[in-house]
Amino acid sequence: MTKKVCLISLVNLQLVSCGLRWQGQGPGPRDEGSPPQILASYAEQVVRPGEPWKVYLRVRDVDCDMTYVVTDLWQSGGGSYQTSFTPIRKHPCPELVGYVFLKTPADGDLVWDQFQAKLFVRDRRGNRSNSLQLPLNFDQVEAKKPPQEWRADTVASIGAVNIDLTNREKMDSEG
């Protein structure tokens, strides 16, 4: 009987000491992965009201776990819009070449407003890429074709930026 008690006590002591050692070492290594990187981008600074604004991106993610293009849009005199999360669905890995687009209203009064967009790419682990700061203005200009590097067959639409633009005057009268 004494042998059993000693053996049980020894096993309990061993388990308790292992538990204390595990707690004392802190949590194990966390797999944070590698954040995505925006390697190149292109966007027109001035578009015609009613035309989509396209932001072309070349993004590399060695973990192949990109989830969203996040867009924060700020309007002078009007403040920030709600943040848009454009899902990244199927894409070649480890590099994505595509564009997100913002639908704009055919409102000529937008020429009086100035916008600033901040974009970054987020991955499944919550890592963020470097951010882009892009100006957006409106005028009665002709739509331009993007530079040749952004017109290849491999450049695909990632999706829409889910923000409803309004000119500052309408924003003030509704608020």
Side-chain angles (χ1 to χ4, degrees):
M1 176 111 167
T2 322
K3 281 186 174 181
K4 284 185 181 179
V5 170
C6 281
L7 185 58
I8 291 173
S9 296
L10 190 59
V11 169
N12 283 336
L13 182 62
Q14 188 112 28
L15 288 173
V16 169
S17 67
C18 286
L20 292 174
R21 187 172 63 225
W22 289 332
Q23 289 177 354
Q25 291 176 346
R30 186 174 155 208
D31 181 19
E32 294 182 8
S34 298
Q37 294 177 309
I38 298 175
L39 303 175
S41 65
Y42 172 79
E44 287 294 330
Q45 292 186 15
V46 180
V47 297
R48 176 189 289 268
E51 295 292 321
W53 182 54
K54 294 181 179 179
V55 179
Y56 294 86
L57 303 167
R58 179 180 311 276
V59 185
R60 175 176 287 278
D61 186 22
V62 295
D63 301 331
C64 301
D65 65 347
M66 293 181 273
T67 54
Y68 294 101
V69 175
V70 181
T71 307
D72 290 321
L73 188 68
W74 176 84
Q75 182 176 8
S76 64
S80 294
Y81 286 84
Q82 185 170 348
T83 302
S84 171
F85 294 85
T86 305
I88 299 173
R89 291 186 169 80
K90 297 178 183 176
H91 61 83
C93 183
E95 195 165 291
L96 165 67
V97 180
Y99 62 90
V100 293
F101 61 92
L102 173 67
K103 294 179 184 176
T104 68
D107 182 348
D109 288 338
L110 284 171
V111 300
W112 303 107
D113 295 329
Q114 296 177 340
F115 298 86
Q116 182 79 24
K118 176 183 173 184
L119 282 89
F120 62 88
V121 177
R122 195 176 81 183
D123 71 13
R124 194 171 304 134
R125 294 178 178 101
N127 295 319
R128 298 171 141 195
S129 70
N130 47 316
S131 295
L132 300 176
Q133 299 285 338
L134 302 169
L136 170 60
N137 296 291
F138 292 91
D139 204 350
Q140 298 302 327
V141 296
E142 291 296 319
K144 295 180 186 174
K145 288 186 177 182
Q148 189 62 41
E149 71 178 285
W150 301 107
R151 285 191 254 161
D153 291 338
T154 56
V155 178
S157 173
I158 298 168
V161 173
N162 297 309
I163 296 174
D164 292 324
L165 283 184
T166 315
N167 73 51
R168 186 177 41 202
E169 190 176 292
K170 284 185 183 174
M171 198 180 244
D172 291 342
S173 66
E174 291 172 0

